[in-house]
Amino acid sequence: MRAEVGLMLGPSLGINYSPRSPPNAKVKERSVIHDCVSQFLNETEREREMLYIIGLGLGDEQDITLRGLEAVKKCDKVYVEAYTSLLSFGLSTHALEKLYGKPITVADREMVEEKADAILSHSLSSDVAFLVVGDPFGATTHTDLVVRAKKLGVNVKVVHNASVMNAIGICGLQLYRYGETISIPFFTQSWRPYSFYDKILNNRSLALHTLCLLDIRVKEPSLESLCRGRKQYEPPRYMTINTAIEQLLEVEQMRGGKAYNEDTCCVGLARLGSDDQKIVAGTMRQLRVVDFGAPLHCLVIVGKENMLELVVRKLDATRGICARAPIHDTVLHLSFMSVPCLMMLKYLTSNLLLNAKELIHVI
Amino acid sequence: MRAEVGLMLGPSLGINYSPRSPPNAKVKERSVIHDCVSQFLNETEREREMLYIIGLGLGDEQDITLRGLEAVKKCDKVYVEAYTSLLSFGLSTHALEKLYGKPITVADREMVEEKADAILSHSLSSDVAFLVVGDPFGATTHTDLVVRAKKLGVNVKVVHNASVMNAIGICGLQLYRYGETISIPFFTQSWRPYSFYDKILNNRSLALHTLCLLDIRVKEPSLESLCRGRKQYEPPRYMTINTAIEQLLEVEQMRGGKAYNEDTCCVGLARLGSDDQKIVAGTMRQLRVVDFGAPLHCLVIVGKENMLELVVRKLDATRGICARAPIHDTVLHLSFMSVPCLMMLKYLTSNLLLNAKELIHVI
């Protein structure tokens, strides 16, 4: 079956004509629209070559879907974008080439931005695959490439996969309870944009979690080389959770809106979806010094702390222990993988620090 | 490598002790924590049986990842949850069984809620796969199952996949620009919960898009049968976009907060990720009467209309055409699949209704 995607242009096939349109304009419009629809039907009736935009998922080459693999196998030309994503994130072209049994061209930022038409022209005469880490329309959209493809008359098919935008659910905080996602760029001496701060403030005021995507700088031409007119690239840089927290705290100090502070609960996630992923919950103060290892990192600022944290705070006040243990809903949810968290819970309950009624609230 | 997931419990291995803790409590805590850590290390050192929670993606059996398929192949027992998701959504157990070469047990709501321990006990002695449409922690989380598994000492591994929460990106509206996701339940004569309204109001006031997940009622016991003490089930019901819009407009009329109205731009999506998906952009008034076909449906309420819509409104005012054409950023983004939209743009430009400068803003 053919996917149907359209725009409601009104009850008829085209535009709803305003009564103010002159009659000859109406006739002209109708004729143009008629042509468009005919062209649309003709285009979809015949089988055309296809540009497949295929999500690779998060981890390694085994995260491609069967649907994606089947599409790659029938393509004459395979590109993998290294523009916004990261081959070193568990993926190597060698492993991909071995799996697919064909050569792969790495399309870096320059190629995607400047030579998109060259890529697309292949797909006029044969099937082409364009591979994207994560989901094609996840954290970064490839709308521009698709719009260009369409202009050239290339048919496009999308194969979805996991991206950070949904896989973040593994930290246990419901995806329903996230507000607007933010990006934190590397600060420089002269460029310290704070625009993400208001978004966190909004999210926190609505008790929503904030997913923070951290800056990636790959194949950035150095300022010096640009001045000399000869492109040379800075070494790749990936923002760590530690740097992100430093910058966040700096912005809070500058803005003073009390969106968060050093005691705000967060979850840091490194190499999400990989076998060696690392997920740690704690306050900003605590996570600031954790070594999360290799990129990619991302950070969740927890929106609202739940019953469990309240219970622990109560315990803190009345019994004087667990003063700084950042126990909140993340703990509970993370507990399935985090034995120390479960044990902590068990310890609390076995020592009757939580009574049965409180425990029902918590679990 | 082993994935690391944890909770920062302070600079030492356990709890940060408050200076108010009595000394004997400290000693007891240390001993408990030491036991916990030892147990944790012992558990992870030996290879244990595994409960794999595997996302199936959105479309059909071909949407499983290679990593997911490999896991299923080594499992002795395979469950597929039909609790929150939908086998009729392109998936049949027959097709799955054929692909996996082994029988599959359908775990409905009752089984997951009431017999989870029976499912989990299998995974104490052999590898078990629990399949979930979409991503395991996407629109619905399976945290409860995972917490129970952990309590029984079962190791858990998650295989991610696409879910509505990231695949919605295909409608062209950036995932960055979504606010809190809402669920719209079926209204009954006596139960008309309006709590989602304030969330839409918040999102719209921040110019954010709202993803609306629509109610699914599968294997719901009828009230009558519950009274008789003998369970009988209502026929399955899936909310259509049409019903969702009816209910949304009813709530707006009751609440009157001007969060949206019949002219608010939306995108309706049916069978997202399937070959026969249907995506239509238009006003609530327009989408209310579109036949989107079989489930699942979802709806996006567009947060902010962009330059293109402003241009068209200007045209509307000055030239008296295109009065009701809902052209906004969705159009532009949807255009890659929607030839009528592209043609509409082409028509506008070829007739010089947009001049070159305006077009730069638009494209």
Side-chain angles (χ1 to χ4, degrees):
Chain A
M1 275 178 286
R2 181 168 55 78
E4 292 177 69
V5 184
L7 172 77
M8 280 298 294
L9 294 173
S12 68
L13 60 78
I15 302 162
N16 261 346
Y17 304 111
S18 152
R20 287 172 292 173
S21 305
N24 59 340
K26 271 191 191 177
V27 173
K28 196 171 176 190
E29 277 169 10
R30 282 204 175 113
S31 150
V32 170
I33 291 163
H34 183 264
D35 290 351
C36 298
V37 173
S38 311
Q39 189 179 336
F40 175 59
L41 292 176
N42 288 337
E43 276 179 348
T44 53
E45 270 165 14
R46 62 186 164 88
E47 272 293 309
R48 287 190 309 177
E49 309 310 329
M50 192 72 80
L51 171 67
Y52 291 94
I53 304 193
I54 300 169
L56 292 182
L58 294 166
D60 60 29
E61 70 283 358
Q62 297 295 319
D63 283 325
I64 194 170
T65 65
L66 301 190
R67 188 195 290 263
L69 185 61
E70 190 194 7
V72 171
K73 294 237 174 195
K74 68 180 170 191
C75 287
D76 300 306
K77 190 88 186 158
V78 182
Y79 295 91
V80 61
E81 70 103 47
Y83 167 173
T84 51
S85 64
L86 178 68
L87 287 174
S88 61
F89 178 40
L91 279 173
S92 75
T93 42
H94 179 71
L96 292 175
E97 285 177 339
K98 197 174 158 196
L99 178 66
Y100 306 154
K102 56 182 71 177
I104 292 175
T105 307
V106 175
D108 61 16
R109 179 187 287 220
E110 262 172 34
M111 189 184 264
V112 177
E113 283 182 355
E114 295 164 20
K115 295 169 192 164
D117 289 345
I119 296 175
L120 292 171
S121 67
H122 287 295
S123 41
L124 282 172
S125 55
S126 60
D127 289 331
V128 170
F130 187 78
L131 310 177
V132 181
V133 170
D135 184 76
F137 299 97
T140 304
T141 63
H142 287 280
T143 315
D144 179 62
L145 183 72
V146 180
V147 170
R148 289 192 196 198
K150 208 70 208 175
K151 278 187 195 160
L152 287 176
V154 173
N155 230 344
V156 177
K157 211 161 196 169
V158 172
V159 181
H160 291 288
N161 212 319
S163 72
V164 61
M165 305 295 279
N166 70 336
I168 194 74
I170 200 169
C171 84
L173 301 168
Q174 288 208 322
L175 289 184
Y176 291 104
R177 303 292 303 149
Y178 281 75
E180 190 173 2
T181 297
I182 64 159
S183 294
I184 303 183
F186 275 117
F187 285 179
T188 67
Q189 279 210 316
S190 57
W191 194 66
R192 303 176 101 71
Y194 291 176
S195 57
F196 54 78
Y197 182 81
D198 290 326
K199 296 178 184 177
I200 303 173
L201 197 60
N202 286 333
N203 289 344
R204 295 269 299 172
S205 73
L206 296 169
L208 299 175
H209 313 307
T210 307
L211 170 60
C212 310
L213 302 174
L214 310 188
D215 204 357
I216 299 172
R217 301 258 159 170
V218 181
K219 240 187 161 180
E220 293 279 329
S222 67
L223 192 63
E224 200 185 30
S225 77
L226 282 177
C227 295
R228 283 188 196 155
R230 204 176 52 136
K231 268 194 189 168
Q232 273 181 335
Y233 300 103
E234 305 270 4
R237 291 171 72 202
Y238 309 103
M239 188 183 286
T240 62
I241 289 162
N242 321 97
T243 301
I245 290 174
E246 293 292 347
Q247 292 193 181
L248 280 166
L249 290 172
E250 178 191 318
V251 176
E252 177 59 67
Q253 205 168 17
M254 295 297 293
R255 291 289 307 274
K258 296 188 179 166
Y260 49 83
N261 59 44
E262 284 192 323
D263 292 318
T264 301
C265 292
C266 294
V267 186
L269 302 100
R271 299 171 305 285
L272 183 60
S274 302
D275 279 342
D276 69 336
Q277 69 183 3
K278 181 166 182 167
I279 306 177
V280 185
T283 62
M284 285 197 181
R285 183 188 291 108
Q286 291 174 317
L287 298 188
R288 183 157 55 168
V289 293
V290 172
D291 180 4
F292 281 90
L296 292 178
H297 293 186
C298 65
L299 180 71
V300 177
I301 302 173
V302 177
K304 193 183 179 179
E305 297 150 10
N306 82 346
M307 184 61 76
L308 182 51
E309 178 150 59
L310 296 181
V311 169
V312 173
R313 284 211 178 139
K314 199 172 123 200
L315 289 173
D316 176 33
T318 57
R319 305 191 187 222
I321 67 153
C322 305
R324 304 230 51 80
I327 302 192
H328 48 79
D329 53 354
T330 314
V331 178
L332 181 62
H333 294 298
L334 278 177
S335 59
F336 63 86
M337 286 170 298
S338 168
V339 175
C341 307
L342 256 197
M343 293 301 162
M344 172 110 183
L345 256 183
K346 195 173 152 191
Y347 164 73
L348 287 171
T349 52
S350 67
N351 285 275
L352 298 178
L353 295 180
L354 293 177
N355 65 35
K357 198 176 158 200
E358 283 171 327
L359 203 64
I360 287 165
H361 280 295
V362 169
I363 298 183
Chain B
M1 274 176 284
R2 183 168 53 82
E4 289 178 70
V5 182
L7 170 77
M8 280 300 293
L9 294 174
S12 70
L13 60 80
I15 301 165
N16 261 346
Y17 306 109
S18 151
R20 286 170 293 170
S21 306
N24 61 338
K26 268 191 192 177
V27 172
K28 196 170 176 192
E29 278 170 6
R30 280 206 177 115
S31 153
V32 171
I33 290 163
H34 183 262
D35 289 352
C36 298
V37 173
S38 309
Q39 191 179 334
F40 175 60
L41 291 176
N42 288 337
E43 277 179 347
T44 52
E45 268 165 15
R46 63 185 163 91
E47 269 294 307
R48 287 190 309 175
E49 310 310 330
M50 192 71 80
L51 171 67
Y52 291 95
I53 305 193
I54 300 169
L56 292 182
L58 293 166
D60 59 31
E61 70 283 359
Q62 297 295 316
D63 283 325
I64 197 170
T65 64
L66 301 189
R67 186 195 291 261
L69 185 62
E70 190 194 7
V72 171
K73 295 237 174 196
K74 69 179 167 193
C75 286
D76 300 304
K77 189 89 186 155
V78 181
Y79 294 92
V80 61
E81 70 105 45
Y83 166 172
T84 51
S85 64
L86 177 71
L87 287 173
S88 60
F89 180 40
L91 278 174
S92 75
T93 41
H94 178 72
L96 292 176
E97 285 176 337
K98 197 173 157 195
L99 178 65
Y100 306 155
K102 56 181 72 177
I104 293 175
T105 306
V106 176
D108 60 15
R109 179 188 287 219
E110 262 171 37
M111 188 183 265
V112 177
E113 284 182 354
E114 295 164 21
K115 297 170 191 164
D117 289 347
I119 296 176
L120 293 171
S121 68
H122 287 295
S123 40
L124 283 171
S125 55
S126 60
D127 288 331
V128 170
F130 187 78
L131 310 177
V132 181
V133 171
D135 183 75
F137 299 96
T140 303
T141 63
H142 288 278
T143 314
D144 178 62
L145 184 73
V146 180
V147 170
R148 289 190 195 202
K150 207 70 208 176
K151 279 186 193 160
L152 288 175
V154 173
N155 231 344
V156 177
K157 209 161 198 171
V158 172
V159 181
H160 290 289
N161 212 319
S163 72
V164 60
M165 304 297 277
N166 70 335
I168 194 73
I170 199 170
C171 85
L173 301 167
Q174 286 207 325
L175 290 183
Y176 292 104
R177 302 294 301 151
Y178 280 76
E180 191 174 2
T181 296
I182 63 159
S183 295
I184 303 183
F186 274 116
F187 283 179
T188 67
Q189 279 209 317
S190 58
W191 194 64
R192 302 175 100 72
Y194 292 175
S195 56
F196 54 78
Y197 182 82
D198 289 328
K199 296 176 182 177
I200 303 173
L201 197 61
N202 286 333
N203 288 344
R204 295 269 298 172
S205 73
L206 297 169
L208 299 175
H209 314 306
T210 307
L211 170 59
C212 310
L213 301 175
L214 310 188
D215 204 357
I216 298 173
R217 300 259 159 170
V218 181
K219 243 187 161 182
E220 291 281 328
S222 68
L223 192 61
E224 200 184 27
S225 77
L226 282 177
C227 296
R228 285 188 197 155
R230 204 177 51 136
K231 268 193 187 167
Q232 274 181 334
Y233 300 103
E234 305 269 6
R237 291 170 70 201
Y238 308 103
M239 188 183 287
T240 61
I241 289 161
N242 322 96
T243 302
I245 291 175
E246 294 291 346
Q247 292 192 181
L248 281 165
L249 291 172
E250 179 192 316
V251 177
E252 176 58 68
Q253 206 167 15
M254 296 296 294
R255 290 289 309 273
K258 295 189 181 168
Y260 49 84
N261 59 41
E262 286 192 321
D263 292 318
T264 301
C265 291
C266 294
V267 186
L269 302 100
R271 299 173 302 287
L272 182 61
S274 303
D275 279 343
D276 68 336
Q277 69 182 3
K278 182 167 180 166
I279 305 176
V280 184
T283 62
M284 286 199 179
R285 184 188 290 111
Q286 292 174 319
L287 297 189
R288 180 156 57 167
V289 293
V290 172
D291 179 5
F292 280 92
L296 292 177
H297 292 184
C298 64
L299 180 71
V300 177
I301 302 172
V302 177
K304 194 181 180 180
E305 297 150 10
N306 81 347
M307 184 61 77
L308 182 49
E309 177 151 61
L310 296 180
V311 169
V312 172
R313 286 212 177 137
K314 198 172 126 201
L315 288 174
D316 176 33
T318 55
R319 302 190 190 222
I321 67 151
C322 305
R324 304 227 53 79
I327 302 192
H328 49 81
D329 52 352
T330 314
V331 177
L332 180 62
H333 293 301
L334 278 176
S335 60
F336 62 84
M337 287 169 297
S338 168
V339 174
C341 307
L342 256 196
M343 291 302 160
M344 172 105 182
L345 256 182
K346 192 173 155 193
Y347 164 75
L348 287 170
T349 51
S350 66
N351 285 275
L352 298 176
L353 296 180
L354 295 176
N355 65 36
K357 197 175 162 201
E358 282 168 328
L359 204 65
I360 289 165
H361 281 293
V362 169
I363 298 184

